[in-house]
Amino acid sequence: DQQVKQNSPSLSVQEGRISILNCDYTNSMFDYFLWYKKYPAEGPTFLISISSIKDKNEDGRFTVFLNKSAKHLSLHIVPSQPGDSAVYFCAASGLGGATNKLIFGTGTLLAVQP
Amino acid sequence: EPEVTQTPSHQVTQMGQEVILRCVPISNHLYFYWYRQILGQKVEFLVSFYNNEISEKSEIFDDQFSVERPDGSNFTLKIRSTKLEDSAMYFCASRSTGTPNTEAFFGQGTRLTVV
């Protein structure tokens, strides 16, 4: 039961270009979406998030877009830098319960080529 | 910057043995979680803990698993009788509140290898 899906296991882009990472979800009850970045041998680190009542959130080089009707979100990184090379996880939250666990996608490995 | 710390970084254990994975969450956080990632798969929720009790657990978190906050700073995950399929990276996380928009901070993980 994959409620959050990242269909591209990997993505390679040139330094300075735009990276677009995609995520789809199936449960319309999610009300918050997050992107986490993970380097090897480290835990996931929070990158950016968006509430379901918004369609865009921007933080520096990172922008997340949400299309609720399509149950789709994307993370744009502009311009991409070699240090952005990592696994990016899409996560969703808000299914209720006291602690609002995160439901993660399978991740996309981004490689930014110098 | 405050961080979540986990020990050990790597644990190798014989099948059937008990293991305890340790975590020190961020000191003023109230909500604690364990997640795991089997190699090549997604990060999966195991259990959440608040106010000294389990708030929610997944179907993975069966009777072989338990969590404890023994002394107000540590948060432990115990697996009573490990199986080969328990081999994974185990991540501890903590949050200051349980609302969806509150960032979860993750530790660097413990790689558990069951042989």
Side-chain angles (χ1 to χ4, degrees):
Chain A
D1 175 23
Q2 274 196 291
Q3 298 190 71
V4 179
K5 303 177 200 176
Q6 293 175 258
N7 292 320
S8 298
S10 63
L11 175 68
S12 182
V13 299
Q14 289 290 322
E15 180 178 6
R17 306 293 290 268
I18 184 171
S19 296
I20 300 176
L21 298 102
N22 294 302
C23 178
D24 298 292
Y25 62 96
T26 57
N27 194 328
S28 57
M29 298 298 290
F30 289 133
D31 62 6
Y32 218 78
F33 303 92
L34 309 91
W35 285 93
Y36 278 80
K37 181 165 86 170
K38 185 181 177 306
Y39 294 115
E42 293 185 14
T45 54
F46 171 77
L47 194 57
I48 191 170
S49 63
I50 188 167
S51 165
S52 62
I53 62 173
K54 299 192 173 183
D55 54 19
K56 177 182 174 182
N57 187 28
E58 192 171 351
D59 183 2
R61 297 187 296 115
F62 303 92
T63 303
V64 57
F65 296 92
L66 175 62
N67 182 334
K68 281 188 70 175
S69 61
K71 294 193 178 70
H72 176 85
L73 63 154
S74 60
L75 174 68
H76 293 210
I77 307 173
V78 181
S80 301
Q81 299 172 354
D84 296 328
S85 298
V87 177
Y88 288 78
F89 289 99
C90 171
S93 183
L95 287 182
T99 55
N100 283 296
K101 63 179 184 279
L102 296 173
I103 308 294
F104 284 89
T106 49
T108 296
L109 174 62
L110 174 65
V112 180
Q113 310 296 334
Chain B
E1 185 175 317
E3 59 180 12
V4 177
T5 56
Q6 291 184 243
T7 54
S9 56
H10 191 187
Q11 173 92 45
V12 181
T13 189
Q14 295 267 346
M15 189 170 57
Q17 294 296 304
E18 173 183 289
V19 294
I20 298 176
L21 310 183
R22 301 180 193 280
C23 169
V24 180
I26 293 171
S27 61
N28 62 344
H29 284 189
L30 302 175
Y31 293 79
F32 314 110
Y33 306 80
W34 283 100
Y35 291 82
R36 79 173 185 190
Q37 184 184 25
I38 294 172
L39 187 63
Q41 299 185 24
K42 65 180 178 179
V43 177
E44 301 175 288
F45 168 78
L46 292 179
V47 66
S48 59
F49 192 86
Y50 168 70
N51 201 25
N52 282 320
E53 60 182 20
I54 290 174
S55 295
E56 188 175 1
K57 58 184 180 179
S58 71
E59 61 274 10
I60 302 167
F61 194 89
D62 61 21
D63 292 345
Q64 294 301 310
F65 291 85
S66 63
V67 289
E68 216 177 23
R69 189 157 160 80
D71 56 12
S73 62
N74 290 283
F75 179 51
T76 61
L77 174 69
K78 182 194 290 186
I79 309 175
R80 287 188 185 81
S81 178
T82 50
K83 304 189 282 284
L84 294 176
E85 54 265 37
D86 293 328
S87 295
M89 281 291 287
Y90 287 79
F91 295 105
C92 173
S94 71
R95 294 161 102 173
S96 56
T97 78
T99 55
N101 61 341
T102 303
E103 178 184 346
F105 291 81
F106 284 80
Q108 81 281 16
T110 293
R111 178 170 298 284
L112 176 66
T113 303
V114 182
V115 296

mmCIF file of all heavy atoms in Angstrom, chain A residues 98-100, chain B residues 28-31 33 50 94-103:
data_model
loop_
_atom_site.group_PDB
_atom_site.id
_atom_site.type_symbol
_atom_site.label_atom_id
_atom_site.label_comp_id
_atom_site.label_asym_id
_atom_site.label_seq_id
_atom_site.Cartn_x
_atom_site.Cartn_y
_atom_site.Cartn_z
ATOM 1 N N ALA A 98 -2.409 11.268 17.436
ATOM 2 C CA ALA A 98 -1.832 12.340 18.252
ATOM 3 C C ALA A 98 -0.492 12.818 17.739
ATOM 4 O O ALA A 98 -0.061 13.917 18.045
ATOM 5 C CB ALA A 98 -1.689 11.861 19.692
ATOM 6 N N THR A 99 0.178 11.994 16.960
ATOM 7 C CA THR A 99 1.574 12.318 16.670
ATOM 8 C C THR A 99 1.863 12.531 15.202
ATOM 9 O O THR A 99 2.966 12.850 14.839
ATOM 10 C CB THR A 99 2.495 11.200 17.198
ATOM 11 O OG1 THR A 99 2.074 9.954 16.649
ATOM 12 C CG2 THR A 99 2.449 11.137 18.699
ATOM 13 N N ASN A 100 0.851 12.336 14.334
ATOM 14 C CA ASN A 100 1.033 12.652 12.912
ATOM 15 C C ASN A 100 2.320 12.094 12.321
ATOM 16 O O ASN A 100 3.221 12.838 11.927
ATOM 17 C CB ASN A 100 0.962 14.169 12.714
ATOM 18 C CG ASN A 100 -0.461 14.674 12.748
ATOM 19 O OD1 ASN A 100 -1.270 14.318 11.895
ATOM 20 N ND2 ASN A 100 -0.785 15.458 13.750
ATOM 21 N N ASN B 28 14.158 19.456 24.487
ATOM 22 C CA ASN B 28 12.835 20.007 24.801
ATOM 23 C C ASN B 28 11.727 19.430 23.928
ATOM 24 O O ASN B 28 10.605 19.941 23.910
ATOM 25 C CB ASN B 28 12.863 21.535 24.690
ATOM 26 C CG ASN B 28 13.190 21.993 23.281
ATOM 27 O OD1 ASN B 28 13.669 21.221 22.462
ATOM 28 N ND2 ASN B 28 12.926 23.259 22.989
ATOM 29 N N HIS B 29 12.050 18.374 23.209
ATOM 30 C CA HIS B 29 11.047 17.737 22.358
ATOM 31 C C HIS B 29 10.207 16.759 23.164
ATOM 32 O O HIS B 29 10.663 16.182 24.156
ATOM 33 C CB HIS B 29 11.716 17.030 21.179
ATOM 34 C CG HIS B 29 12.170 17.978 20.120
ATOM 35 N ND1 HIS B 29 12.633 17.544 18.897
ATOM 36 C CD2 HIS B 29 12.227 19.325 20.078
ATOM 37 C CE1 HIS B 29 12.949 18.610 18.150
ATOM 38 N NE2 HIS B 29 12.711 19.686 18.865
ATOM 39 N N LEU B 30 8.967 16.588 22.717
ATOM 40 C CA LEU B 30 8.008 15.787 23.467
ATOM 41 C C LEU B 30 7.517 14.554 22.712
ATOM 42 O O LEU B 30 6.901 13.679 23.304
ATOM 43 C CB LEU B 30 6.796 16.651 23.841
ATOM 44 C CG LEU B 30 7.091 17.904 24.679
ATOM 45 C CD1 LEU B 30 5.816 18.721 24.865
ATOM 46 C CD2 LEU B 30 7.681 17.528 26.041
ATOM 47 N N TYR B 31 7.736 14.544 21.399
ATOM 48 C CA TYR B 31 7.209 13.470 20.568
ATOM 49 C C TYR B 31 8.391 12.711 19.982
ATOM 50 O O TYR B 31 9.300 13.320 19.418
ATOM 51 C CB TYR B 31 6.327 14.035 19.451
ATOM 52 C CG TYR B 31 5.062 14.669 19.968
ATOM 53 C CD1 TYR B 31 5.085 15.952 20.515
ATOM 54 C CD2 TYR B 31 3.858 13.982 19.930
ATOM 55 C CE1 TYR B 31 3.937 16.534 21.015
ATOM 56 C CE2 TYR B 31 2.700 14.561 20.425
ATOM 57 C CZ TYR B 31 2.749 15.826 20.966
ATOM 58 O OH TYR B 31 1.605 16.393 21.465
ATOM 59 N N TYR B 33 9.868 9.126 17.808
ATOM 60 C CA TYR B 33 9.498 8.176 16.767
ATOM 61 C C TYR B 33 10.662 7.237 16.461
ATOM 62 O O TYR B 33 11.824 7.616 16.596
ATOM 63 C CB TYR B 33 9.157 8.924 15.464
ATOM 64 C CG TYR B 33 8.121 10.006 15.597
ATOM 65 C CD1 TYR B 33 8.464 11.263 16.100
ATOM 66 C CD2 TYR B 33 6.800 9.790 15.206
ATOM 67 C CE1 TYR B 33 7.518 12.268 16.229
ATOM 68 C CE2 TYR B 33 5.848 10.806 15.331
ATOM 69 C CZ TYR B 33 6.219 12.033 15.851
ATOM 70 O OH TYR B 33 5.275 13.034 15.973
ATOM 71 N N TYR B 50 4.579 9.384 23.093
ATOM 72 C CA TYR B 50 4.315 10.695 23.683
ATOM 73 C C TYR B 50 3.765 10.498 25.081
ATOM 74 O O TYR B 50 2.980 9.580 25.324
ATOM 75 C CB TYR B 50 3.305 11.470 22.816
ATOM 76 C CG TYR B 50 2.749 12.714 23.475
ATOM 77 C CD1 TYR B 50 3.561 13.821 23.674
ATOM 78 C CD2 TYR B 50 1.425 12.767 23.913
ATOM 79 C CE1 TYR B 50 3.068 14.955 24.298
ATOM 80 C CE2 TYR B 50 0.930 13.895 24.532
ATOM 81 C CZ TYR B 50 1.754 14.990 24.721
ATOM 82 O OH TYR B 50 1.270 16.130 25.332
ATOM 83 N N SER B 94 12.587 13.111 16.598
ATOM 84 C CA SER B 94 11.832 13.800 17.641
ATOM 85 C C SER B 94 11.269 15.105 17.097
ATOM 86 O O SER B 94 11.774 15.669 16.116
ATOM 87 C CB SER B 94 12.707 14.051 18.879
ATOM 88 O OG SER B 94 13.696 15.044 18.651
ATOM 89 N N ARG B 95 10.186 15.534 17.729
ATOM 90 C CA ARG B 95 9.529 16.786 17.356
ATOM 91 C C ARG B 95 9.125 17.511 18.623
ATOM 92 O O ARG B 95 8.840 16.873 19.638
ATOM 93 C CB ARG B 95 8.252 16.526 16.555
ATOM 94 C CG ARG B 95 8.460 15.913 15.208
ATOM 95 C CD ARG B 95 7.165 15.288 14.734
ATOM 96 N NE ARG B 95 6.481 16.097 13.758
ATOM 97 C CZ ARG B 95 5.395 15.681 13.117
ATOM 98 N NH1 ARG B 95 4.884 14.511 13.374
ATOM 99 N NH2 ARG B 95 4.821 16.462 12.232
ATOM 100 N N SER B 96 9.005 18.836 18.526
ATOM 101 C CA SER B 96 8.592 19.597 19.696
ATOM 102 C C SER B 96 7.085 19.492 19.936
ATOM 103 O O SER B 96 6.629 19.544 21.071
ATOM 104 C CB SER B 96 9.004 21.063 19.539
ATOM 105 O OG SER B 96 8.468 21.604 18.346
ATOM 106 N N THR B 97 6.334 19.370 18.833
ATOM 107 C CA THR B 97 4.893 19.170 18.959
ATOM 108 C C THR B 97 4.478 18.057 17.995
ATOM 109 O O THR B 97 5.273 17.633 17.164
ATOM 110 C CB THR B 97 4.078 20.435 18.624
ATOM 111 O OG1 THR B 97 3.999 20.582 17.196
ATOM 112 C CG2 THR B 97 4.703 21.684 19.213
ATOM 113 N N GLY B 98 3.249 17.618 18.087
ATOM 114 C CA GLY B 98 2.778 16.561 17.205
ATOM 115 C C GLY B 98 2.002 17.065 16.014
ATOM 116 O O GLY B 98 1.471 16.271 15.238
ATOM 117 N N THR B 99 1.962 18.391 15.823
ATOM 118 C CA THR B 99 1.184 18.911 14.690
ATOM 119 C C THR B 99 1.920 18.629 13.388
ATOM 120 O O THR B 99 3.151 18.589 13.354
ATOM 121 C CB THR B 99 0.938 20.417 14.838
ATOM 122 O OG1 THR B 99 2.209 21.068 15.014
ATOM 123 C CG2 THR B 99 0.072 20.694 16.052
ATOM 124 N N PRO B 100 1.158 18.464 12.290
ATOM 125 C CA PRO B 100 1.791 18.045 11.028
ATOM 126 C C PRO B 100 2.867 19.002 10.528
ATOM 127 O O PRO B 100 3.794 18.576 9.851
ATOM 128 C CB PRO B 100 0.619 17.995 10.046
ATOM 129 C CG PRO B 100 -0.582 17.843 10.881
ATOM 130 C CD PRO B 100 -0.304 18.552 12.167
ATOM 131 N N ASN B 101 2.743 20.303 10.833
ATOM 132 C CA ASN B 101 3.703 21.259 10.280
ATOM 133 C C ASN B 101 4.950 21.421 11.140
ATOM 134 O O ASN B 101 5.780 22.287 10.873
ATOM 135 C CB ASN B 101 3.034 22.623 10.077
ATOM 136 C CG ASN B 101 2.531 23.214 11.380
ATOM 137 O OD1 ASN B 101 2.364 22.492 12.361
ATOM 138 N ND2 ASN B 101 2.289 24.500 11.400
ATOM 139 N N THR B 102 5.108 20.616 12.155
ATOM 140 C CA THR B 102 6.308 20.703 12.987
ATOM 141 C C THR B 102 7.373 19.772 12.440
ATOM 142 O O THR B 102 7.124 18.585 12.244
ATOM 143 C CB THR B 102 5.999 20.309 14.444
ATOM 144 O OG1 THR B 102 4.963 21.132 14.942
ATOM 145 C CG2 THR B 102 7.239 20.470 15.316
ATOM 146 N N GLU B 103 8.546 20.346 12.208
ATOM 147 C CA GLU B 103 9.641 19.568 11.637
ATOM 148 C C GLU B 103 10.049 18.419 12.551
ATOM 149 O O GLU B 103 10.158 18.574 13.765
ATOM 150 C CB GLU B 103 10.838 20.487 11.418
ATOM 151 C CG GLU B 103 12.070 19.824 10.865
ATOM 152 C CD GLU B 103 13.244 20.785 10.762
ATOM 153 O OE1 GLU B 103 13.021 22.003 10.860
ATOM 154 O OE2 GLU B 103 14.373 20.293 10.590
#
